[in-house]
Amino acid sequence: MNLVEKILARASGRKSVEPGEIVIAEVDRLLMHDLSGYLTAGVYDEKVDLPIPHPERALMVFDHHFSPPTEQQAGVLKFNREWARRKKINLLDCGSGNLHHAAVRGGFVKPGMIVVGSDSHTPVHGALGALAVALGNDSHAGTVLPYSRAWFRVPETVRIELHGLPRPGTSPRDVALWLTARIGEGEMNYKALEFTGPYVKQLGFWDRWLFPLLCVDLGAKCSYVEPDEVTEAFVRTLPGGLPEEVAKGDGAGGEAASVLRYDVGDVVPQVACPPTVGNTRAVTEAAGHPVQYAELGGHGGGRIEDIRAAAAVLRGRRVHPRTRLNIVPSSREVFTEAVREGLVLDLHEAGATWFPPSTGSNQAINMGAMAAGEAMISTHARNFPGRNGSSEASMFLASAETVAASAAAGEIAAPAGAVTAGGAS
């Protein structure tokens, strides 16, 4: 069996499972942010109201209303705090970071777990070798909280093998955006995606993270990277350390329904243009488009790797007068690292503005709202119209290097020194 099948078999008390079967499995972790938690709590109190046998398995992170600007939004957080305290649920309050990054950094997700959450990017925890899926708030209230269970249809697995090394200046985020366009949005409906191959295996943990992040845009149910020494070394640094046993698949073989192979050797810096993530092309094709905002943050950004990259690009330069560069660390731990490395001062002096660890301008609840005709380039995971304010504003997605280069130029621009011609687009 592959990793997904092994996890589902273990959690449902079976020796084996096969694609297409329906299983009822024990859930190890429920992840909620302040918006989904508020909705789940409302349904639970009104329609369920049963004891919660394992409150320690649930985690709520305040990452959207990280600085409530209205009384109504403050009321949501007040309700959530009181509900979490009453139900004895884990709570990470404002400033803890983005839901998924804060959950990982806090040691709440481990290899082999079944993780569920209402946020559509919950499958990103497959980067640790967990089976992570997005479920609706009513499912959390109706089955996960009172019974610690959920039902799953065992998905077919598609193995995605990445070979080769990209050209100078091309980052893992560029490869991930390129891959979304190559595979096609919605083309992997209800599949489990395994990301592997020589390129993936040589990446560090937080760069591997960018590939399971693609899951929702590709239409897949879940995605993962098989745990190896890189995964295990990273998990040992987290609270609680490495589990005694780490679930792994039975190795390469017939456990995948199909295999897709891609050579990343010709990939150049990419940008996802409106209106969807799949509308991805070489940065040079969008170069020159003015941007009023640039942002490091979101589920795919705000990592220490992104902050280091932006600081390197902006060294000796300043943010363009017509552009605001906003930096949102993905977690408190990342902000601590940035302080210790001197990156906070470097980017502040380059003209950037720092925000609390959070999900940043995601849905423009606390920051990042744009007026009609304005444009933002960011490391976020979504770019559909109206995502950040006006439906007539434009969101472009790119790597931290491209975001920083664009902030300095005041328009979409490729990082200096990157190979931008003659490659894949």
Side-chain angles (χ1 to χ4, degrees):
M1 294 185 291
N2 61 40
L3 180 63
V4 166
E5 293 161 358
K6 276 197 168 185
I7 292 174
L8 284 174
R10 183 270 304 170
S12 60
R14 299 174 56 173
K15 291 184 178 180
S16 64
V17 297
E18 295 182 359
E21 289 187 305
I22 303 294
V23 300
I24 297 176
E26 193 84 3
V27 171
D28 300 296
R29 187 70 67 208
L30 165 61
L31 302 179
M32 301 175 284
H33 51 58
D34 40 324
L35 303 184
S36 63
Y38 181 73
L39 296 172
T40 296
V43 173
Y44 198 85
D45 287 348
E46 181 180 344
K47 298 184 178 181
V48 181
D49 197 26
L50 294 171
I52 300 176
H54 293 289
E56 76 283 356
R57 296 185 185 182
L59 170 67
M60 188 185 301
V61 180
F62 291 176
D63 68 346
H64 283 66
H65 294 319
F66 60 84
S67 182
T70 68
E71 182 179 359
Q72 185 273 332
Q73 289 173 307
V76 168
L77 297 191
K78 181 174 183 288
F79 173 88
N80 284 344
R81 288 189 186 100
E82 293 172 350
W83 190 80
R85 190 178 303 117
R86 190 166 64 249
K87 301 297 185 182
K88 297 181 171 55
I89 284 172
N90 295 295
L91 173 65
L92 298 179
D93 213 310
C94 302
S96 298
N98 173 290
L99 167 64
H100 302 302
H101 292 256
V104 169
R105 292 283 191 163
F108 291 96
V109 180
K110 302 291 184 180
M113 278 187 169
I114 289 187
V115 180
V116 301
S118 55
D119 186 85
S120 61
H121 287 99
T122 300
V124 72
H125 296 282
L128 288 98
L131 168 56
V133 302
L135 296 181
N137 298 312
D138 288 1
S139 294
H140 298 158
T143 67
V144 178
L145 285 171
Y147 303 110
S148 302
R149 294 180 179 179
W151 70 268
F152 302 86
R153 177 162 62 86
V154 182
E156 287 188 342
T157 297
V158 176
R159 182 177 300 119
I160 299 173
E161 294 183 358
L162 302 183
H163 299 263
L165 292 174
R167 297 180 174 207
T170 297
S171 72
R173 180 64 192 271
D174 294 311
V175 174
L177 289 172
W178 172 82
L179 191 61
T180 307
R182 289 297 299 271
I183 296 174
E185 292 175 288
E187 290 298 315
M188 294 288 137
N189 187 39
Y190 213 96
K191 298 293 192 294
L193 306 182
E194 178 190 0
F195 290 98
T196 186
Y199 175 70
V200 173
K201 291 181 179 179
Q202 58 87 37
L203 295 176
F205 173 78
W206 286 111
D207 283 336
R208 294 178 176 188
W209 173 271
L210 301 171
F211 293 91
L213 187 69
L214 306 178
C215 181
V216 61
D217 299 297
L218 298 177
K221 184 64 176 177
C222 60
S223 55
Y224 66 95
V225 177
E226 183 86 25
D228 60 7
E229 61 277 3
V230 172
T231 316
E232 294 176 4
F234 173 73
V235 175
R236 286 193 186 97
T237 69
L238 303 175
L242 190 70
E244 289 185 9
E245 293 186 13
V246 176
K248 296 182 181 180
D250 292 334
E255 75 274 14
S258 60
V259 179
L260 301 178
R261 296 181 176 87
Y262 297 93
D263 186 342
V264 303
D266 287 334
V267 179
V268 297
Q270 304 283 300
V271 60
C273 302
T276 66
V277 181
N279 187 23
T280 298
R281 60 195 66 179
V283 172
T284 49
E285 296 184 37
H289 192 293
V291 289
Q292 287 71 42
Y293 295 93
E295 182 177 331
L296 300 186
H299 300 317
R303 308 166 304 150
I304 190 63
E305 291 83 354
D306 298 311
I307 295 170
R308 289 172 182 152
V313 169
L314 288 169
R315 193 159 289 126
R317 306 172 72 187
R318 283 192 59 82
V319 175
H320 194 280
R322 71 168 169 235
T323 303
R324 271 72 65 195
L325 173 59
N326 299 330
I327 302 180
V328 188
S330 62
S331 66
R332 293 184 69 86
E333 292 81 0
V334 163
F335 185 66
T336 298
E337 292 178 72
V339 170
R340 288 175 176 164
E341 294 180 21
L343 303 175
V344 173
L345 179 60
D346 288 347
L347 286 164
H348 172 76
E349 291 184 338
T353 300
W354 288 84
F355 283 80
S358 65
T359 197
S361 67
N362 185 3
Q363 301 178 57
I365 290 173
N366 285 111
M367 61 175 284
M370 292 186 287
E374 291 189 314
M376 176 187 293
I377 187 166
S378 80
T379 56
H380 276 263
R382 290 269 170 75
N383 65 336
F384 54 76
R387 180 70 170 175
N388 283 55
S390 173
S391 60
E392 297 179 22
S394 300
M395 172 70 84
F396 297 83
L397 308 177
S399 68
E401 292 87 344
T402 297
V403 170
S406 301
E411 59 189 30
I412 295 176
V419 176
T420 58
S425 62

